Amino acid sequence: MKPIVICATLLIETSPQALPLGAACIASAIKHDRNTAGIFDVELIAVSKEEKDFAAAEKNGKSAEYIAGRICKDREPAFVCFSVYVWNRKYLEETAKILRQRFPNIKILAGGPEVTASPDSFTHFDYTVSGAGELAMPELIGKLYKNEKSDFPQGVYTSSIERNMTSARCRAFPPELNTLSSPYLDGTLDPAEYGGALWELARGCPFKCSYCYESKGEKKIQYFPMERIEKELELFNSKKIAQVFVLDPTYNANKKRAAELLKLIEKKAPGMFFYFEARAEFIDRELAKAFTRIPCALQFGLQSADPEILKLVNRTLDKKLFTRNIGYLNETGAIFGFDLIYGLPKDTLEGFKKSVDFALNLYPNNLETFCLSVLPGTDLADSADSLGLEYENKPPYHVIRSDSFSEKDLAAAELISHACNIFYNNGRAVPWFNSIIRGLHMRPVIFLVEFAEWYKKFIEPETKKSLADFDFSCCRHEEIENLQVRYIKKLFADKQKNNLTATAESLILFNGALSRVDSDAKPQTVQLKFHPDDLASPYSADIAFFSKNCRPYNCRVNCFKNKNGQTDWKVLK
């Protein structure tokens, strides 16, 4: 019998975004590398926190025992290679302790982003590998199997006091991407099990954002060969998966290649939905149009709307250029969203609020807001003291306070984040949000702050759930829509603008029904106070003008997918 190598990880959920690609890449490399090919039986084991048995084990304080049991299954592996992230570090360290107790001769290795950031901070793994592991991990396993305990690969650390000094503070040599096997194509990883895929098109990042793990990573961008990309795309299509998340931090850094890949996707996987991370400064009209030729969404890391704040984390922002290029996406109808971070060095609560206003005024389909994490091994962690940042010393390493952002301010920013997530993102408010904001003469962020206050006063006593406890997985969109209508009516009444309420309510109900048809493909019937053709016209963007000049039309409307697969509507008699 061949000795067993298990590549294992703990997933935060079972989904395409949480698919175990890192562990699968290492498993695939061990299968094919000259140091290990044919010597070992290699298995990939991914435990999900959403598994029913895991949840029961965690409730009883036995989550690590559960993971260890899944890994071992009454056999003793020779090697276990863990893929470690911020969210699973504590679980996998505890699992390593249990494995060591059960199997004293087992060799336990670890890699991944959390290890790369701070490889010598781990004591429960025998060896850690900093950086890309496809070369270093198989070579290390080969040497250990042959009992060669010297000249370990660069980037390898040991848990002993006498560390491998030749590799201290170094990352493993990055592989040439055209030499790597694909975990999808060799059958190591089946995307159909997760309903989608994480898809690597390139590695490396030309930018040096100080809060990112890549701030000390490879600056040179390497691209995977187009031949491999095309074969993976064909595999995804044959598996009939629904969505693909592209793991390229700047998909459009090379505009020519980005456009070429969009054409390939259009040809090979029509109908499959793709998610891209992109930079707004590299968007133009031509590329904006290209994105609309496939089902996709783009996410932009805005982080802050203040260029001076961004300079402190090694980012730049030309607000004019950003606004213009996002305008191209709005012209074409492309789906896009923004990320914002609160707690950035020298930023303030008011500064964060201004960033929220700037972002929402550009009509994003979603606005994701996050507390700053000072990740170990990043440039930001090195300069945190001089920047006045205090942060957690354990995952998720959130900022606790800074010299410009108090704990109270961070709590207020978090509340805005929850309000935005419920009302705007999960409430699918983009088609009408700014129209209503203008009708109320309010800043978007003030609207959200007052929504949070209203929710706490009137809704929390009814539901016994705070904004933070709002469970979207168990919540139908209609429930959020009901909150939206109630809150809007209250605001217009307070501002003595009841004449605009009927328009606002009809806009919310009509667009909500259309969004549910888009997402669920099930017909929706809705009662409106204006004709749907009028509500869908550009005139509804100015609800004061619309309310004054548009004739009311009480009607029941059926919203549905027509024979061309497009969302349509019909007034019922």
Side-chain angles (χ1 to χ4, degrees):
M1 267 181 82
K2 294 179 182 178
I4 299 170
V5 176
I6 293 176
C7 296
T9 193
L10 174 67
L11 308 177
I12 198 166
E13 62 184 10
T14 304
S15 73
Q17 286 175 284
L19 174 148
L21 182 60
C25 285
I26 299 303
S28 181
I30 295 169
K31 291 177 183 178
H32 298 279
D33 190 273
R34 60 183 176 83
N35 293 287
T36 48
I39 299 174
F40 302 98
D41 282 332
V42 184
E43 296 181 27
L44 173 67
I45 294 179
V47 179
S48 170
K49 292 187 74 174
E50 288 187 339
E51 292 176 20
K52 184 178 179 181
D53 290 343
F54 178 89
E58 185 167 36
K59 187 176 181 180
N60 295 319
K62 295 185 179 296
S63 52
E65 285 88 340
Y66 176 79
I67 300 169
R70 284 283 305 277
I71 290 172
C72 296
K73 295 179 182 176
D74 299 322
R75 77 281 171 79
E76 180 176 353
F79 298 91
V80 174
C81 306
F82 285 116
S83 186
V84 186
Y85 297 84
V86 166
W87 61 82
N88 68 17
R89 174 174 179 163
K90 69 174 185 177
Y91 294 98
L92 298 186
E93 287 187 293
E94 286 297 316
T95 301
K97 288 170 62 177
I98 293 169
L99 290 175
R100 170 72 61 246
Q101 292 166 1
R102 292 184 186 176
F103 306 109
N105 296 322
I106 198 173
K107 292 289 187 294
I108 303 176
L109 293 66
E114 185 76 356
V115 171
T116 296
S118 184
D120 52 1
S121 68
F122 296 85
T123 58
H124 300 302
F125 306 127
D126 296 312
Y127 300 91
T128 54
V129 175
S130 176
E134 286 100 339
L135 296 181
M137 196 70 83
E139 184 180 349
L140 174 61
I141 289 173
K143 286 181 178 291
L144 292 172
Y145 182 67
K146 296 172 186 175
N147 206 29
E148 298 175 5
K149 295 187 178 180
S150 61
D151 299 322
F152 288 146
Q154 178 173 299
V156 173
Y157 293 71
T158 73
S159 61
S160 64
I161 295 175
E162 293 182 6
R163 299 188 183 282
N164 178 13
M165 297 308 294
T166 60
S167 64
R169 294 297 170 195
C170 291
R171 292 190 179 196
F173 288 114
E176 294 293 327
L177 300 190
N178 60 0
T179 67
L180 293 181
S181 56
S182 165
Y184 291 117
L185 298 178
D186 71 6
T188 300
L189 187 58
D190 183 358
E193 291 182 16
Y194 298 88
L198 292 177
W199 196 25
E200 276 196 295
L201 303 179
R203 288 187 185 176
C205 182
F207 303 101
K208 51 182 181 180
C209 310
S210 65
Y211 50 78
C212 179
Y213 277 134
E214 290 302 317
S215 61
K216 294 184 179 180
E218 291 296 318
K219 303 305 176 191
K220 176 187 173 185
I221 298 179
Q222 279 197 79
Y223 296 102
F224 282 94
M226 288 299 289
E227 181 183 2
R228 165 176 162 153
I229 287 172
E230 186 168 352
K231 286 180 180 177
E232 288 180 331
L233 194 56
E234 289 171 347
L235 175 70
F236 297 160
N237 193 51
S238 70
K239 294 282 186 178
K240 301 187 185 306
I241 60 175
Q243 51 192 333
V244 174
F245 292 83
V246 177
L247 285 180
D248 185 338
T250 315
Y251 172 76
N252 59 333
N254 183 324
K255 179 189 166 187
K256 182 179 178 182
R257 181 179 170 88
E260 183 183 354
L261 283 167
L262 291 174
K263 288 180 181 177
L264 184 65
I265 290 169
E266 185 179 6
K267 177 182 177 182
K268 296 286 185 179
M272 197 177 298
F273 202 95
F274 288 78
Y275 296 86
F276 300 98
E277 292 183 31
R279 295 281 291 218
E281 53 262 54
F282 302 144
I283 295 288
D284 58 19
R285 274 198 173 93
E286 183 182 354
L287 196 55
K289 289 178 182 176
F291 279 117
T292 64
R293 289 196 283 270
I294 66 168
C296 72
L298 294 85
Q299 197 73 12
F300 297 94
L302 174 58
Q303 317 309 7
S304 171
D306 187 335
E308 295 304 311
I309 295 298
L310 290 175
K311 281 182 185 178
L312 295 172
V313 289
N314 294 328
R315 286 185 69 92
T316 58
L317 174 67
D318 181 331
K319 291 176 79 169
K320 267 190 170 180
L321 178 65
F322 189 95
T323 301
R324 186 196 71 186
N325 292 358
I326 293 300
Y328 296 147
L329 295 173
N330 278 319
E331 285 175 13
T332 61
I335 299 171
F336 66 91
F338 299 138
D339 295 333
L340 287 178
I341 299 175
Y342 56 89
L344 287 167
K346 308 306 176 185
D347 201 4
T348 63
L349 177 59
E350 185 55 37
F352 172 67
K353 288 179 177 180
K354 289 178 180 177
S355 294
V356 172
D357 285 341
F358 175 78
L360 289 177
N361 280 323
L362 295 177
Y363 294 87
N365 292 83
N366 66 285
L367 177 61
E368 307 295 339
T369 53
F370 308 94
C371 180
L372 176 66
S373 289
V374 183
L375 301 172
T378 61
D379 285 336
L380 184 60
D382 293 342
S383 58
D385 289 343
S386 64
L387 291 171
L389 298 175
E390 294 181 47
Y391 60 96
E392 300 166 338
N393 60 6
K394 294 180 180 180
Y397 308 112
H398 282 159
V399 166
I400 300 170
R401 69 183 68 83
S402 74
D403 56 10
S404 60
F405 229 118
S406 67
E407 290 175 83
K408 182 180 177 181
D409 288 345
L410 286 168
E414 182 181 21
L415 196 61
I416 293 169
S417 177
H418 291 313
C420 183
N421 207 23
I422 292 172
F423 194 98
Y424 191 85
N425 297 341
N426 289 279
R428 307 172 189 177
V430 62
W432 48 263
F433 184 79
N434 282 317
S435 300
I436 289 176
I437 288 294
R438 282 192 289 270
L440 289 163
H441 301 292
M442 293 179 75
R443 289 173 58 189
V445 75
I446 299 303
F447 178 96
L448 294 173
V449 168
E450 292 190 8
F451 169 71
E453 292 171 352
W454 172 81
Y455 183 98
K456 183 175 179 62
K457 185 176 181 180
F458 296 102
I459 306 302
E460 193 171 320
E462 293 178 11
T463 62
K464 309 301 181 186
K465 291 181 181 178
S466 68
L467 277 178
D469 295 329
F470 206 93
D471 188 352
F472 301 114
S473 63
C474 300
C475 175
R476 296 166 63 242
H477 174 252
E478 289 95 323
E479 293 178 48
I480 300 178
E481 187 176 76
N482 180 54
L483 287 179
Q484 290 169 330
V485 171
R486 288 176 63 182
Y487 177 57
I488 291 296
K489 285 182 175 179
K490 181 259 184 193
L491 281 184
F492 280 117
D494 287 351
K495 292 181 175 289
Q496 298 182 337
K497 292 178 178 286
N498 289 313
N499 59 313
L500 307 183
T501 302
T503 301
E505 182 177 1
S506 289
L507 278 172
I508 293 171
L509 296 177
F510 178 51
N511 283 287
L514 294 178
S515 76
R516 292 191 292 276
V517 172
D518 277 336
S519 62
D520 305 329
K522 295 179 181 178
Q524 298 278 319
T525 300
V526 61
Q527 186 73 37
L528 303 176
K529 296 175 182 177
F530 293 91
H531 197 286
D533 292 350
D534 294 329
L535 292 169
S537 74
Y539 298 111
S540 65
D542 184 341
I543 64 170
F545 175 86
F546 185 93
S547 301
K548 183 178 180 180
N549 294 282
C550 188
R551 181 179 299 171
Y553 188 90
N554 286 303
C555 55
R556 288 176 69 244
V557 177
N558 184 36
C559 301
F560 58 92
K561 288 278 188 183
N562 62 27
K563 62 182 180 181
N564 297 319
Q566 298 173 324
T567 302
D568 206 344
W569 56 83
K570 180 181 179 181
V571 175
L572 300 175
K573 294 182 180 178

